[in-house]
Amino acid sequence: MPSSLRHRQRSAPPVLLAVVLLASLFACSALAPCAWAQAGAAADARRPAEVAQVLFGIISYVRWPVAHQEVRVCMLGTPRYGAAIVDTPASSLGPRIRVKIPAPASAASECDVAYLGSLPDGEREHLLAQIIGKPILSVAEPGTSCAVGTMFCLRLNEAQIGFDVNLDAIARSGLRVHPNALQIARRKGPPP
């Protein structure tokens, strides 16, 4: 048998090749969104622990006018990542951290750190009016309004968690923030 005939007998018909190619393209396109969704879900699952880590990192860079053996972190409003902050043990290198959920009216007397979750604007303004000028570190949760008196505002992008700093609010508080924290805030993450 001539080699050209043998070759034709072994090759698949063009229609069959087209069907296989289309089926494989369809399978890839159908699976790709699932992979992206799984990657997004994994990142979302890690976010609470990452937010807790950033919060505890910020706290480690802050010094109060009077040293504390224990830093009282108050969860105010409805924090999206609050459970992870309660569940994540802070570093053993710094002061011990105790997380509590006080009434917003008592935040000025019971808190060293005010972690602000979602709050109605009027309530947020009232709370900030109580703590502005006092040695209380205020940190706004990602996705919440970063009001004028908030010292640190956490922000999310796909790659990392960062934060913005309000130097005026820090200066009025009497807290000392290590310059490294301010340098970290200046470094913006990769664009989303």
Side-chain angles (χ1 to χ4, degrees):
M1 195 181 246
S3 65
S4 63
L5 286 177
R6 203 175 329 153
H7 180 68
R8 267 191 261 154
Q9 290 173 349
R10 289 185 182 166
S11 65
V15 172
L16 181 59
L17 286 174
V19 168
V20 169
L21 180 60
L22 284 173
S24 65
L25 285 173
F26 177 73
C28 287
S29 67
L31 293 176
C34 295
W36 291 332
Q38 288 173 347
D44 287 346
R46 287 190 314 267
R47 287 292 187 199
E50 292 170 351
V51 167
Q53 183 180 8
V54 169
L55 174 65
F56 295 142
I58 291 170
I59 292 170
S60 74
Y61 280 112
V62 174
R63 297 295 170 259
W64 279 262
V66 176
H68 298 303
Q69 290 184 348
E70 175 180 82
V71 175
R72 301 167 298 172
V73 177
C74 295
M75 311 292 284
L76 299 162
T78 308
R80 180 175 178 193
Y81 301 103
I85 293 166
V86 171
D87 295 339
T88 304
S91 169
S92 60
L93 301 174
R96 195 171 77 114
I97 293 178
R98 181 168 49 108
V99 179
K100 56 192 290 180
I101 302 172
S106 63
S109 62
E110 294 183 29
C111 306
D112 301 310
V113 178
Y115 182 79
L116 307 172
S118 177
L119 281 164
D121 288 337
E123 225 178 289
R124 178 180 299 276
E125 290 167 11
H126 181 70
L127 173 67
L128 289 172
Q130 289 179 35
I131 66 174
I132 287 176
K134 294 186 173 70
I136 298 171
L137 174 66
S138 57
V139 181
E141 184 167 54
T144 61
S145 167
C146 189
V148 173
T150 307
M151 295 177 201
F152 288 85
C153 298
L154 302 180
R155 59 180 153 69
L156 298 177
N157 68 33
E158 291 177 17
Q160 65 188 21
I161 298 172
F163 54 88
D164 296 315
V165 177
N166 181 335
L167 295 175
D168 184 51
I170 292 172
R172 287 184 285 160
S173 72
L175 297 174
R176 290 180 316 194
V177 178
H178 194 282
N180 287 350
L182 306 177
Q183 289 295 335
I184 292 169
R186 282 193 188 132
R187 280 187 254 145
K188 301 286 186 191

